[in-house]
Amino acid sequence: MGFKETVMEFAGKVGDTVDKGIKSGSEGLQKMTEKSRLQKEINQRNIEINNIFQAVGQKLYKEDPNNKMFEGVFGAVKEKKSQIEEYKKQLAVLEDKIPCHTCGEMISKATAVCPKCGSINAAGQKKEAGGLNETKQPEKVNAEKVKICKNCGNTLDETAKFCNKCGTKLDD
């Protein structure tokens, strides 16, 4: 066997090895892709299970927050809720807001009337010459996002049910 034949035989063996490597690599990539897909499915089902458990726990808590069987867990929930309320109070102070004395909605201290329930906020009433019924021209704003009080022209959030300046009930 000559040099040329030896080189050709060696090249053939190298080619076979490369082909096997490519096939093996392709099979390995397919396995890796399938493993990744299956792991993703497992993770998704675990998330769904956790969501179900969360819903069950919330339902149990709402039905009987003093359930002795879940006393420790529900106690922790009550503590976290208490902490959240304290943080909300601190946030309201920073935002210069107070709770409405009737419905609890957080409103600006300067608000004369709660936009949710219509209750008069004594701290927010302004001592203006015309009183609460003093009229002004409404500001030009995007009418789709706000309500304008027909009584005083005050511009309000679209969810407001009452004018926070004069207390007029707003149309839906």
Side-chain angles (χ1 to χ4, degrees), residues 111-167:
T111 299
V113 179
C114 176
K116 183 176 179 184
C117 72
S119 178
I120 295 174
N121 172 18
Q125 291 181 5
K126 295 180 182 174
K127 309 266 192 244
E128 296 176 2
L132 290 177
N133 289 326
E134 183 176 304
T135 59
K136 68 172 187 171
Q137 292 298 319
E139 300 172 24
K140 293 187 179 186
V141 292
N142 183 351
E144 295 174 12
K145 303 266 184 184
V146 297
K147 290 181 181 178
I148 306 294
C149 177
K150 291 179 183 176
N151 184 47
C152 70
N154 192 25
T155 304
L156 303 151
D157 181 80
E158 65 182 327
T159 60
K161 295 179 183 173
F162 294 88
C163 176
N164 63 2
K165 184 174 180 186
C166 70

Side-chain angles (χ1 to χ4, degrees), residues 8 20 50 69 76 85 104 110 130 136 144 152 162:
M8 292 299 285
K20 286 178 185 176
N50 286 335
M69 191 165 146
E85 288 306 312
K136 68 172 187 171
E144 295 174 12
C152 70
F162 294 88

Side-chain angles (χ1 to χ4, degrees), residues 67-125:
N67 186 313
K68 295 294 181 194
M69 191 165 146
F70 300 105
E71 189 173 26
V73 175
F74 288 175
V77 169
K78 289 174 186 174
E79 176 63 27
K80 300 296 180 199
K81 285 185 173 228
S82 175
Q83 290 171 347
I84 288 170
E85 288 306 312
E86 184 57 37
Y87 294 144
K88 283 181 178 180
K89 288 176 186 176
Q90 293 174 18
L91 186 59
V93 168
L94 293 173
E95 292 175 340
D96 207 25
K97 291 186 176 183
I98 58 171
C100 169
H101 62 86
T102 302
C103 70
E105 179 80 5
M106 295 307 290
I107 57 176
S108 168
K109 286 181 180 178
T111 299
V113 179
C114 176
K116 183 176 179 184
C117 72
S119 178
I120 295 174
N121 172 18
Q125 291 181 5

